[in-house]
Amino acid sequence: MARSDGEAAERLRLFVAAEVPHGHRDEVAARIEELKQRFSGARWTTPDNQHVTLKFLGSTPRELVPEIHDACRSVARDHEPATLALSDVGSFPSARRSRVLWLGLDDPKGLLAGLASDLDRALAPLGFATEERGFTPHLTLCRFKVPVKLPDGPPPLDVADLAPFEVSELVLFRSYLSPKGARYEALERFGLGSDGT
Ligand code: 3AM
């Protein structure tokens, strides 16, 4: 549909992610209660808002969405589902100056790193900047306004007993920012592997 002069194109804040089963995220939430008390100044994510970000697209014109779907579908088809597990707590950018605490994923076949680098490559022709930073698959647990020093390193969290789980799709999310925090909406899912739909 033609737009009148001066009318701004609608933009959506987008990112592509993989999901961890809800039950696992709820179990993690139950196990970080002690950490929440220790780091009471942090802003904690809720299980509903946790995902493994693979590619951040940011503010995107709506008319690019069909091409983003095509790119995601093609990358998803090139990767078979794999079994992953939750691992250890880490911090960004470092334990000396932590701004984020996260829970890592054990991904022996490198599925998530492969998806992240293929998304980077497939989305670059649409004008999305390629990622310069190394990729560390993680669920963000909390963010600190003022960086925190962790002299003993990131705190331990025992999740070794939680069952491994399968990652079998990519999810295109829309992010809505507000003073109350972010809300994420799954716009589209892309099954991994040649059997994916
Ligand atoms: O939920 P996590 O932390 O994995 O940190 C933001 C969040 O990831 C990340 O994108 C996800 C959805 O908002 N994000 C926000 N701005 C970003 C940026 N400029 C960014 N990632 C990379 N570059």
Side-chain angles (χ1 to χ4, degrees), residues 19 69 73 76 169-173 186-191 197:
E19 288 189 308
H69 283 189
R73 192 174 298 110
E169 56 186 21
L170 286 182
V171 188
L172 176 65
F173 279 100
L187 295 183
E188 196 72 41
R189 294 172 181 275
F190 306 92
T197 48

Side-chain angles (χ1 to χ4, degrees), residues 13 15 51 53 56 133 138 140 143 184:
R13 185 176 166 89
F15 64 98
H51 43 254
T53 299
F56 179 75
R133 300 173 298 186
H138 67 276
T140 295
R143 297 183 173 88
Y184 305 125

Side-chain angles (χ1 to χ4, degrees), residues 13-15 45 49-53 55-56 100 131 133 138-140 143 175 177 182 184:
R13 185 176 166 89
L14 302 175
F15 64 98
T45 58
N49 272 4
Q50 291 167 347
H51 43 254
V52 185
T53 299
K55 175 73 186 172
F56 179 75
V100 171
E131 182 57 71
R133 300 173 298 186
H138 67 276
L139 297 176
T140 295
R143 297 183 173 88
S175 162
L177 299 180
Y184 305 125

Side-chain angles (χ1 to χ4, degrees), residues 2-140:
R3 288 197 310 272
S4 59
D5 275 355
E7 189 183 335
E10 190 192 358
R11 300 183 79 90
L12 286 63
R13 185 176 166 89
L14 302 175
F15 64 98
V16 185
E19 288 189 308
V20 168
H22 229 292
H24 284 63
R25 288 180 264 153
D26 286 340
E27 190 57 44
V28 168
R31 295 181 189 200
I32 58 175
E33 277 307 319
E34 210 180 320
L35 286 183
K36 284 188 172 177
Q37 281 162 29
R38 176 170 157 198
F39 300 108
S40 55
R43 283 168 298 140
W44 293 84
T45 58
T46 60
D48 274 348
N49 272 4
Q50 291 167 347
H51 43 254
V52 185
T53 299
L54 299 169
K55 175 73 186 172
F56 179 75
L57 303 178
S59 174
T60 304
R62 184 184 274 285
E63 48 267 40
L64 275 187
V65 168
E67 287 170 82
I68 293 168
H69 283 189
D70 290 346
C72 290
R73 192 174 298 110
S74 148
V75 168
R77 277 202 188 122
D78 285 346
H79 294 265
E80 293 304 319
T83 300
L84 279 71
L86 297 176
S87 65
D88 299 319
V89 177
S91 66
F92 288 144
S94 68
R96 280 184 302 116
R97 266 182 74 79
S98 301
R99 284 199 166 275
V100 171
L101 285 185
W102 45 264
L103 184 58
L105 284 99
D106 186 16
D107 179 10
K109 292 193 170 153
L111 170 66
L112 299 175
L115 287 170
S117 89
D118 284 0
L119 284 166
D120 221 30
R121 186 185 39 71
L123 289 160
L126 300 183
F128 295 102
T130 52
E131 182 57 71
E132 302 296 328
R133 300 173 298 186
F135 176 72
T136 306
H138 67 276
L139 297 176
T140 295

Side-chain angles (χ1 to χ4, degrees), residues 149-167:
K149 232 184 213 166
L150 300 170
D152 301 324
L157 183 69
D158 190 7
V159 290
D161 60 308
L162 296 185
F165 53 89
E166 188 175 69
V167 168

Side-chain angles (χ1 to χ4, degrees), residues 49 176-183:
N49 272 4
Y176 298 87
L177 299 180
S178 84
K180 283 195 216 151
R183 180 172 71 78

